[in-house]
Amino acid sequence: MSAALWRTIPQLFPGKPTFTEADIPEQHGKVIIVTGGNAGLGYHLCKILYERGAKVYMLSRSQSKAEEAITKIKTEVTKSPGDLKYIHIDLADMTTIKPAVQAFAAQETKLDILFNNAGIGAAPDGSKTKQGFELLMGTNAIAPFLLTQLLLSYLQTAAKTAPKNCVRVVWTASPIIEDSYVPAGGLTVSHLESPHLSNFNNYALSKTANWYLASELAHRVQKDGIVSVVQNPGNLKTAVWDPAPWWIRKLMSITMHPPIYGAYTNLWAGVSENVTLEDGVQGKYVVPWGQWHSTPRKDLLDALKGEGEGGTGHAGKVWAWCEEKTRVWA
Ligand SMILES: NC(=O)c1ccc[n+]([C@@H]2O[C@H](COP(=O)([O-])OP(=O)(O)OC[C@H]3O[C@@H](n4cnc5c(N)ncnc54)[C@H](OP(=O)(O)O)[C@@H]3O)[C@@H](O)[C@H]2O)c1
């Protein structure tokens, strides 16, 4: 069996979840953002966090879908000391990121946890964001980078008074990064400059970018007491694969699990006591349904390290590229 399969199979068939809503501590007093919380695993994430008392902001691109989801959650969760609110964001349109942060800032002074969850898995080849980025990279990585940058001061404020390791940014990867869709050596700036033609490669590269950005951010904000960590939520029965060809969906359905399990992986990364500042800095990677990846790809781990530390420095260069390209909307 290939090394990629050895790494992927445990993530596709991780057994029953052991960290569930029953293990989530009280979240009252916390302010949390979930991007894409109106559907899929993000919906369950919002619901569980709201149920546990958090004030949750659902950052979504569709007002009607978000309001419908919020009404459903509030109907099902009849008692919570928290709140659940919608703010508009379209990660495929950079001009919506700063207004979303401004709408948040008008209501809050701190942010305890940011779940960079929203994403797309498939799009017609050649699709682009409003500002011309390759659509998967733009939606799944470049816009979340800008959002995180703009929210940083709110995370720093929360970290000043929160218990150690409790203020976190959770990024979203995928089992696909184990595969050859991410070429040996990993994502490089050249992939950003000249995007691949294939949807799967672009998806896999966008998810690799999330690992890079998680690691780079972890180094930058460790001094502030902010944890930054990446997770693969697991293969889940959600709408994310709807645009993919039917035969791919059929094939993938064999390995798909209930969407709430993906919320458990996020919650392990976002609120469990198992995750610390040092884990993010070490580039550790969370896999379903909340555990550390035991055999991450060495070339990707090398990409997280600078050239001076024996790595390839690709993560640092991708971060710098995102910084430069998004400056105009910051
Ligand atoms: N499901 C899986 O098997 C799987 C595996 C690995 C990783 N993931 C990742 O897990 C995350 C959640 O996916 P899911 O499975 O829950 O999929 P989903 O059901 O399709 O939910 C994705 C969420 O992201 C939102 N979104 C998409 N494009 C957006 C944009 N331009 N701006 C703002 N929000 C946007 C969607 O909004 P709309 O409802 O308006 O479309 C939806 O709320 C994604 O990052 C995905 O790549 C999923």
Side-chain angles (χ1 to χ4, degrees):
M1 203 176 355
S2 76
L5 265 181
W6 270 117
R7 288 190 303 267
T8 309
I9 285 175
Q11 295 181 55
L12 298 181
F13 303 101
K16 284 264 170 239
T18 53
F19 184 85
T20 70
E21 52 271 73
D23 303 292
I24 312 299
E26 180 62 41
Q27 298 295 307
H28 185 45
K30 283 196 187 173
V31 180
I32 299 176
I33 287 179
V34 178
T35 63
N38 61 280
L41 72 91
Y43 171 85
H44 294 280
L45 197 48
C46 288
K47 185 175 173 188
I48 295 170
L49 290 166
Y50 171 64
E51 198 162 29
R52 303 301 295 138
K55 194 166 184 186
V56 183
Y57 286 86
M58 187 185 275
L59 267 56
S60 293
R61 62 178 161 177
S62 158
Q63 179 167 358
S64 59
K65 282 191 199 173
E67 285 176 352
E68 198 181 314
I70 289 172
T71 304
K72 188 161 186 278
I73 291 174
K74 286 188 172 172
T75 309
E76 287 170 12
V77 180
T78 49
K79 245 171 89 180
S80 165
D83 203 353
L84 183 54
K85 295 180 168 192
Y86 157 72
I87 290 177
H88 176 75
I89 199 166
D90 182 353
L91 296 169
D93 180 357
M94 287 295 192
T95 64
T96 70
I97 314 294
K98 197 169 182 180
V101 173
Q102 286 167 335
F104 174 78
Q107 303 172 74
E108 301 297 338
T109 54
K110 65 148 190 171
L111 173 63
D112 292 280
I113 311 172
L114 166 61
F115 287 97
N116 277 319
N117 162 70
I120 49 169
D125 291 348
S127 299
K128 297 209 185 313
T129 67
K130 279 247 166 71
Q131 287 76 29
F133 295 112
E134 187 283 310
L135 187 62
L136 289 133
M137 187 61 78
T139 306
N140 296 349
I142 303 171
F145 167 86
L146 177 62
L147 176 67
T148 307
Q149 289 285 84
L150 295 178
L151 287 168
L152 215 49
S153 62
Y154 301 92
L155 292 158
Q156 283 162 337
T157 301
K160 281 184 189 142
T161 52
K164 196 172 178 207
N165 299 320
C166 284
V167 176
R168 300 189 192 173
V169 179
V170 178
W171 303 78
T172 300
S174 160
I176 201 170
I177 71 168
E178 310 292 350
D179 210 277
S180 57
Y181 289 116
V182 178
L187 166 71
T188 67
V189 166
S190 64
H191 295 117
L192 301 171
E193 291 286 351
S194 313
H196 214 279
L197 291 179
S198 129
N199 177 86
F200 270 122
N201 289 81
N202 287 326
Y203 179 64
L205 292 168
S206 76
K207 291 305 182 182
T208 309
N210 272 257
W211 192 3
Y212 285 11
L213 296 175
S215 167
E216 284 296 313
L217 181 69
H219 284 94
R220 285 167 172 79
V221 297
Q222 185 183 24
K223 62 176 181 350
D224 301 318
I226 301 168
V227 178
S228 170
V229 72
V230 69
Q231 49 85 41
N232 156 32
N235 260 28
L236 311 156
K237 289 185 197 90
T238 68
V240 81
W241 300 115
D242 284 0
W246 70 269
W247 58 271
I248 290 179
R249 279 184 277 129
K250 186 93 186 150
L251 209 65
M252 291 184 66
S253 66
I254 307 162
T255 65
M256 283 182 179
H257 303 273
I260 196 169
Y261 287 13
Y264 297 154
T265 313
N266 270 274
L267 287 164
W268 193 85
V271 304
S272 84
E273 287 175 353
N274 303 285
V275 179
T276 67
L277 286 168
E278 292 72 29
D279 294 320
V281 173
Q282 287 167 20
K284 285 167 85 172
Y285 181 103
V286 178
V287 292
W289 314 114
Q291 57 184 311
W292 294 114
H293 196 326
S294 57
T295 52
R297 270 176 69 163
K298 182 169 178 320
D299 58 337
L300 299 186
L301 287 174
D302 286 345
L304 302 182
K305 289 189 242 150
E307 286 168 80
E309 306 158 301
T312 59
H314 292 321
K317 290 172 200 160
V318 166
W319 176 280
W321 188 93
C322 289
E323 205 163 35
E324 188 201 318
K325 297 291 177 186
T326 60
R327 194 164 289 137
V328 62
W329 299 288

